[in-house]
Amino acid sequence: MIVLDTMINGNDTTTIIASTSGTINDERDNGWLITLRFVVVGFGILLNVGVTAVFLYIKMYKKSLLHGLIFQQSIVDLLGCCMFLFFYNQDAPDGTRAGRVFCKARAINWFITYTSIYNLVMITVERYIAVVHPVMYRNRNIGNKSYLFYTIPYIIGFVLSFHLAIIADVNEELRGECRYSKAVSLPSGILLFLLIFFLPACFMIYCYCRIVLQIRRRSRENQKNAPGYNKRPHVSIKRNLVFTMLIVVIAFIITTAPNITMYLIYNICHCFDFSTIIEHEFTVLLSTCNMCINPIIYGAKMEDFKNGVRKIWRKTLYLHGVGDESSVVNTSQNISKTSV
């Protein structure tokens, strides 16, 4: 419930807007909030640009379907960070028509966000088939059916975000704010909670649990048949890559749950103004953080990526007269020998 209090001081009248379920201000976004967005998301943009550059420079995206999907993830996350700064770091324009266009166009931001989520799902599907059902992966040539894995996230992202463009409108009562129509709010809340968070999270948790169990089972079997098997480089690389993506999934759950849960609660009870409370500003920023931290996880856990960074670094030193060409060649050879 929103309560309006009016204070009259001489000839000045000030309206203070408060909410029983959150803090609402009638002013434009505070400077500290704008600064926080630029710092967090700007850092994410730089990281995603760095990951994309490494993948392009050493052509790592051509190595396998998995690497191609991770490369696509970085591009989508980069676009998502840019869309967030454009649509959520400024208020809707004054004027009903311009404001309505701006609010409906915000669906582009959520299209990119949902595409990013389902690209993670496609990575999970690829890893699940490759590790749990390797024979089917080879026999059905899953790695060469990349067009399906690359396009499905965009299709699902468009389908799920399209209705937001329809129900979004400018909030005529609060300047610079957007709102969603209450006519279909409950179906929208349930739909997005299930398809954007709950089902993808459950599916990814199930798949990675199966993957981890499968890797452990095969490691024990091969250790019995061939002592020292776990020390082979390609085995540790495969395990490391799986655990890298598992960390990405955990980060997805932590960053996505607050905002999508708040949206569901709002559509059930309508007991607070979802688009104007400060808590919503933080949950949307946290949701965007999921697209900012993926590059950190890649850099910390993916050996292929770290080798690529080393190659670029040594190449840079060589071009500046530091080091020798053999160090660059050796790094390139190490990357080419690495297998998933």
Side-chain angles (χ1 to χ4, degrees):
M1 180 177 66
I2 299 177
V3 181
L4 298 179
D5 291 330
T6 302
M7 294 176 20
I8 303 177
N9 297 318
N11 295 325
D12 297 330
T13 302
T14 303
T15 302
I16 301 175
I17 306 177
S19 172
T20 57
S21 300
T23 302
I24 302 177
N25 295 317
D26 62 332
E27 299 178 353
R28 304 269 177 167
D29 289 339
N30 294 321
W32 64 267
L33 182 58
I34 295 175
T35 302
L36 179 63
R37 290 168 180 161
F38 269 110
V39 171
V40 174
V41 182
F43 188 61
I45 291 174
L46 292 177
L47 290 174
N48 278 295
V49 168
V51 171
T52 303
V54 171
F55 270 73
L56 285 173
Y57 183 79
I58 62 176
K59 295 181 173 59
M60 198 163 75
Y61 60 90
K62 294 182 178 181
K63 182 176 179 181
S64 68
L65 173 58
L66 174 64
H67 289 81
L69 287 171
I70 294 176
F71 175 63
Q72 177 168 272
Q73 187 74 44
S74 298
I75 295 177
V76 171
D77 288 349
L78 173 61
L79 292 175
C81 291
C82 295
M83 290 298 100
F84 171 80
L85 286 182
F86 180 79
F87 286 111
Y88 280 89
N89 214 25
Q90 60 180 335
D91 294 312
D94 294 334
T96 303
R97 179 175 298 179
R100 181 177 292 114
V101 171
F102 177 86
C103 292
K104 290 183 178 297
R106 273 188 175 183
I108 298 174
N109 174 78
W110 295 111
F111 161 68
I112 299 295
T113 301
Y114 301 159
T115 300
S116 174
I117 291 173
Y118 273 90
N119 196 78
L120 285 177
V121 173
M122 289 298 102
I123 292 175
T124 304
V125 172
E126 192 276 342
R127 283 296 83 196
Y128 176 80
I129 300 175
V131 177
V132 180
H133 303 288
V135 176
M136 183 178 72
Y137 192 93
R138 291 191 299 269
N139 292 342
R140 298 191 179 183
N141 206 14
I142 299 297
N144 289 331
K145 297 180 180 178
S146 58
Y147 62 94
L148 289 175
F149 287 84
Y150 291 143
T151 57
I152 286 176
Y154 294 100
I155 295 173
I156 297 178
F158 176 79
V159 170
L160 292 180
S161 61
F162 181 75
H163 82 283
L164 294 177
I166 298 176
I167 66 176
D169 202 350
V170 65
N171 193 329
E172 297 178 1
E173 298 177 358
L174 295 174
R175 182 183 177 187
E177 298 294 340
C178 300
R179 63 177 178 82
Y180 292 113
S181 172
K182 295 182 180 180
V184 291
S185 59
L186 184 57
S188 174
I190 296 175
L191 174 73
L192 293 183
F193 180 81
L194 290 176
L195 298 183
I196 296 303
F197 172 68
F198 184 76
L199 293 180
C202 291
F203 176 77
M204 290 189 285
I205 290 173
Y206 168 78
C207 288
Y208 280 108
C209 286
R210 287 288 307 275
I211 289 172
V212 171
L213 291 175
Q214 186 75 358
I215 290 178
R216 290 182 177 178
R217 184 180 66 82
R218 290 178 182 171
S219 297
R220 288 194 297 265
E221 291 177 354
N222 287 290
Q223 185 65 34
K224 293 179 181 179
N225 299 329
Y229 177 84
N230 288 334
K231 297 180 181 180
R232 296 181 182 179
H234 72 276
V235 176
S236 60
I237 290 170
K238 179 180 288 188
R239 182 186 297 110
N240 190 49
L241 196 55
V242 169
F243 278 104
T244 298
M245 301 316 302
L246 180 61
I247 294 174
V248 170
V249 171
I250 294 174
F252 157 74
I253 294 173
I254 294 174
T255 56
T256 306
N259 188 62
I260 200 67
T261 303
M262 177 179 287
Y263 183 66
L264 175 64
I265 295 174
Y266 159 73
N267 285 309
I268 292 175
C269 68
H270 294 291
C271 48
F272 56 91
D273 199 325
F274 176 71
S275 63
T276 57
I277 61 174
I278 194 66
E279 291 84 353
H280 173 246
E281 303 289 353
F282 282 110
T283 58
V284 172
L285 179 59
L286 182 62
S287 178
T288 307
C289 283
N290 181 58
M291 295 184 282
C292 300
I293 62 179
N294 284 341
I296 300 176
I297 300 173
Y298 302 150
K301 299 295 294 181
M302 278 189 68
E303 196 63 33
D304 285 353
F305 180 79
K306 289 188 286 187
N307 286 337
V309 173
R310 294 189 192 104
K311 178 184 177 181
I312 295 175
W313 175 249
R314 292 176 182 176
K315 182 69 173 179
T316 303
L317 293 179
Y318 171 71
L319 293 175
H320 287 81
V322 181
D324 53 31
E325 190 173 4
S326 61
S327 62
V328 178
V329 174
N330 290 336
T331 304
S332 178
Q333 291 175 348
N334 289 335
I335 293 175
S336 63
K337 292 179 181 178
T338 305
S339 59
V340 179

